[in-house]
């Protein structure tokens, strides 16, 4: 059945929550769950992805939708009565750029719907508090917005010293009790607080056994990004605004996307002092910084520095100085080496496993992968990197098509003729970064 249309009634209720939060910035809100009704649950269902893997109960989105209204009503009743039992999440792993694996949790579909409903109720409360340099998983904000803000800050400050921050295993080390205390400082709604506790302690199903720990939030959960923002807003953002910025001798800027963040300073002493005190600040919240990935980079404009400026990575891009067409030094972004390698390895693995599929089907899948890569990495100034990715995909496909049969080997001219029948999308820049702010 088709997804229900978004409800104006739900949007109006969310606006009421947001207005209440703004009117009572220093007070605890005692009730938001009373806004959640059947229409709200239908909207939560509409906003929930339907193509994800199933959780521990094996229920798919299609099966859930067979008796949609009855399922939503039962879910709502269980949540408000306190009888809802949060199932453990199913563990899955994805490879990281350093060769290790990142654990993900796959919740049951009905759990995703209920988490989405709670996010819709809690998000307006915190959107009234979150700072504008926080971009991760927030309404109307994207990774590209964060990248543009960083580029604008670098241009305004003409570079400076960049503190590249890496929080070690953030989602695995969040102090759950402290997180719940932080939420209660702003929100003591019994339904919300009770459900958050159940989700945090639901455990993970791995190798047939449910494993529980007293720390961390599950990556992959619908509510996890919001909880991460709440935690880091308290641990970092508020401290940055109230304690760090007033004490700086020069300019300072912070850009954060969930647990990925960088700080930019115009003064070297400011940068060193924050670099020294930041581990102590995070330690108060049970977090540690990666000893080698957290580093201070001299990123001053080349004509204002005695040495060649360094580079740093943020959100999959390497940031560096280069000259524009007008021969001005400008901060630019290109695909980070590890992200390019990971993308190519993903294509290799897919081609190896699916080399015997019909060629038209392979072409469509590879075209989808290329288009997705271009939509994220296709920014002005990054043409060389995305063109290199296109060539690597093309060569990888040729290599695995050659292994389909030992009898009829595919030579390169034949492959080029095949590409004319089943063309792969050429590199394309989808986003412009030419907009430059005026100098500060």
């Amino acid at each position: 059945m088709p997804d229900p249309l978004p409800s104006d009634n739900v949007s109006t209720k969310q606006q009421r929550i947001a207005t209440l939060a703004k009117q009572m910035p220093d007070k605890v809100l005692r009730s938001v769950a009373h806004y959640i009704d059947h229409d709200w649950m239908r909207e939560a269902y509409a906003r929930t992805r339907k193509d994800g893997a199933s959780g521990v109960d094996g229920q798919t989105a299609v099966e859930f939708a067979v008796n949609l209204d009855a399922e939503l009503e039962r879910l709502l009743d269980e949540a408000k009565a306190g009888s809802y039992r949060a199932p453990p999440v199913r563990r899955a792993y994805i490879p990281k750029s350093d060769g290790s694996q990142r654990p993900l949790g796959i919740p049951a579909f009905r759990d995703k719907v209920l988490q989405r409903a709670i996010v819709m109720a809690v998000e307006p409360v915190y959107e009234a508090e979150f700072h504008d340099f926080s971009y991760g998983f927030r309404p109307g904000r994207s990774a590209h917005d964060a990248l543009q803000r960083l580029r604008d800050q670098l241009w305004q400050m003409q570079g400076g010293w960049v503190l590249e921050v890496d929080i070690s295993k953030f989602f695995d080390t969040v102090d759950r009790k402290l997180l719940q205390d932080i939420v209660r400082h702003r929100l003591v709604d019994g339904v919300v607080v009770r459900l958050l506790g159940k989700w945090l302690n639901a455990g993970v199903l791995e190798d047939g056994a449910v494993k529980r720990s007293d720390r961390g939030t599950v990556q992959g959960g619908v509510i996890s990004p919001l909880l991460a923002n709440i935690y880091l807003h308290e641990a970092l953002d508020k401290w940055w605004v109230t304690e760090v910025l007033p004490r700086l001798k020069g300019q300072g800027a912070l850009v954060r996307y969930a647990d990925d963040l960088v700080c930019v300073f115009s003064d070297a002493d400011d940068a060193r002092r924050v670099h020294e005190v930041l581990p102590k600040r995070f330690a108060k919240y049970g977090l540690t910084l990666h000893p080698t990935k957290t580093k201070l980079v001299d990123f001053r404009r080349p004509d204002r520095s005695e040495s060649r400026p360094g580079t740093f990575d943020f959100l999959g891009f390497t940031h560096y100085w280069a000259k524009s067409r007008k021969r001005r030094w400008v901060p630019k972004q290109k695909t980070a080496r590890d992200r390019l390698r990971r993308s190519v390895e993903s294509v290799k693995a897919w081609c190896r496993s699916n080399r015997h599929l019909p060629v038209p089907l392979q072409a469509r899948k590879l075209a989808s992968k290329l288009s997705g890569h271009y939509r994220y990495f296709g920014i002005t100034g990054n043409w060389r990197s995305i063109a290199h990715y296109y060539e690597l995909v093309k060569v990888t496909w040729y290599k695995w098509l050659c292994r389909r049969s030992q009898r009829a080997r595919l030579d390169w001219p034949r492959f080029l003729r095949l590409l004319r029948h089943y063309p792969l999308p050429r590199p394309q820049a989808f986003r412009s970064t030419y907009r430059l702010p005026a100098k500060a």
Side-chain angles (χ1 to χ4, degrees):
M1 73 180 289
D3 289 349
L5 295 174
S7 169
D8 291 337
N9 184 35
V10 172
S11 298
T12 301
K13 290 178 178 178
Q14 288 184 301
Q15 289 173 5
R16 288 178 189 163
I17 296 173
T19 300
L20 185 64
K22 290 177 182 177
Q23 291 173 346
M24 304 172 61
D26 300 318
K27 295 184 179 180
V28 177
L29 303 183
R30 299 193 174 278
S31 180
V32 294
H34 67 279
Y35 288 107
I36 303 176
D37 56 14
H38 189 76
D39 286 344
W40 190 287
M41 295 299 294
R42 286 178 66 84
E43 178 71 7
Y45 167 78
R47 297 186 188 185
T48 303
R49 282 186 57 184
K50 315 297 190 299
D51 57 351
S54 57
V56 294
D57 60 358
Q59 185 184 46
T60 64
V62 174
E63 293 168 343
F64 184 87
V66 171
N67 297 302
L68 180 60
D69 287 326
E71 287 278 8
L72 293 176
E73 199 63 42
R74 182 163 53 249
L75 196 55
L76 178 60
D77 290 343
E78 290 176 8
K80 293 203 171 183
S83 60
Y84 181 78
R85 299 186 65 180
V89 298
R90 183 166 64 84
R91 175 69 81 205
Y93 292 91
I94 58 173
K96 295 176 66 175
S97 57
D98 59 4
S100 62
Q101 291 187 313
R102 183 191 303 277
L104 288 181
I106 303 174
F109 184 78
R110 70 193 308 263
D111 208 33
K112 293 179 184 178
V113 174
L114 185 55
Q115 287 190 25
R116 178 59 62 193
I118 297 300
V119 167
M120 288 162 52
V122 175
E123 194 172 62
V125 176
Y126 284 96
E127 279 298 311
E129 296 188 11
F130 289 160
H131 294 292
D132 62 354
F133 52 75
S134 167
Y135 287 88
F137 308 104
R138 292 181 59 191
R141 289 168 171 250
S142 69
H144 288 101
D145 294 330
L147 289 164
Q148 185 64 55
R149 184 187 180 99
L150 175 60
R151 188 169 182 267
D152 290 349
Q153 295 290 347
L154 291 170
W155 173 256
Q156 288 175 344
M157 296 166 62
Q158 296 298 290
W161 282 262
V162 173
L163 180 56
E164 188 178 356
V165 181
D166 186 278
I167 305 174
S168 296
K169 299 181 179 179
F170 170 75
F171 285 92
D172 296 332
T173 56
V174 165
D175 186 320
R176 291 179 185 167
K177 183 180 182 304
L178 184 53
L179 172 58
Q180 289 174 293
D181 289 342
I182 292 170
V183 172
R184 288 192 190 97
H185 286 158
R186 192 69 173 106
L187 191 63
V188 292
D189 184 295
V191 173
V192 173
V193 171
R194 182 168 57 241
L195 285 171
L196 289 181
K198 290 182 177 183
W199 285 320
L200 288 172
N201 295 290
V204 175
L205 180 65
E206 187 172 14
D207 299 328
V210 177
K211 302 176 182 178
R212 290 184 171 87
S213 116
D214 59 354
R215 300 185 74 82
T217 65
V218 178
Q219 283 183 270
V222 174
I223 203 160
S224 293
L226 176 59
L227 295 179
N229 274 332
I230 292 172
Y231 200 75
L232 285 171
H233 175 72
E234 187 72 25
L236 176 67
D237 299 357
K238 289 168 66 174
W239 173 74
W240 173 266
V241 170
T242 61
E243 301 291 334
V244 176
L245 288 180
R247 290 176 168 82
L248 296 182
K249 293 187 293 183
Q251 292 178 277
L254 168 64
V255 181
R256 182 173 69 79
Y257 190 90
D259 62 323
D260 291 324
L261 62 119
V262 291
C263 307
V264 185
F265 304 90
S266 62
D267 184 86
D269 290 336
D270 288 339
R272 294 188 192 99
R273 283 190 290 119
V274 174
H275 191 196
E276 290 174 3
V277 76
L278 193 59
K280 300 173 186 176
R281 174 65 184 182
F282 276 141
K284 293 181 179 180
Y285 293 83
L287 304 174
T288 58
L289 299 183
H290 196 286
T292 57
K293 294 182 180 179
T294 298
K295 54 191 176 183
L296 197 57
V297 178
D298 182 350
F299 198 72
R300 286 174 293 173
R301 208 174 73 178
D303 59 345
R304 297 189 175 187
S305 174
E306 308 81 30
S307 58
R308 184 177 181 181
T311 64
F312 66 96
D313 291 349
F314 182 59
L315 296 180
F317 287 87
T318 296
H319 301 254
Y320 65 103
W321 283 100
K323 284 195 173 181
S324 68
R325 293 178 181 177
K326 295 183 179 180
R327 309 306 296 166
R328 291 190 300 171
W329 285 108
V330 294
K332 289 194 174 185
Q333 301 154 341
K334 63 182 178 181
T335 310
R337 186 178 301 175
D338 62 338
R339 289 294 294 271
L340 179 61
R341 182 173 61 249
R342 193 194 315 171
S343 298
V344 173
E345 289 299 324
S346 174
V347 170
K348 287 181 180 177
W350 189 89
C351 288
R352 180 172 61 248
S353 300
N354 298 277
R355 63 185 181 274
H356 295 298
L357 289 178
V359 169
L361 184 59
Q362 291 190 47
R364 286 197 297 272
K365 182 64 176 179
L366 291 175
S368 176
K369 287 180 176 291
L370 281 163
S371 296
H373 188 89
Y374 299 156
R375 288 193 177 276
Y376 186 77
F377 291 102
I379 63 175
T380 49
N382 195 34
W383 175 264
R384 184 175 297 178
S385 291
I386 60 175
H388 184 46
Y389 178 70
Y390 168 80
E391 294 297 333
L392 290 173
V393 169
K394 192 166 65 174
V395 170
T396 298
W397 192 27
Y398 169 68
K399 170 186 173 181
W400 288 104
L401 285 178
C402 287
R403 298 191 180 189
R404 282 161 62 97
S405 171
Q406 293 296 327
R407 298 179 184 176
R409 295 284 291 179
L410 179 69
D411 58 22
W412 188 252
R414 259 187 79 197
F415 175 68
L416 294 180
R417 288 196 295 272
L418 180 147
L419 279 178
R420 286 198 289 270
H421 288 285
Y422 307 105
L424 298 177
R426 304 286 298 183
Q428 182 179 359
F430 282 87
R431 300 177 185 274
S432 172
T433 59
Y434 279 130
R435 177 177 63 84
L436 290 174
K439 292 182 182 179

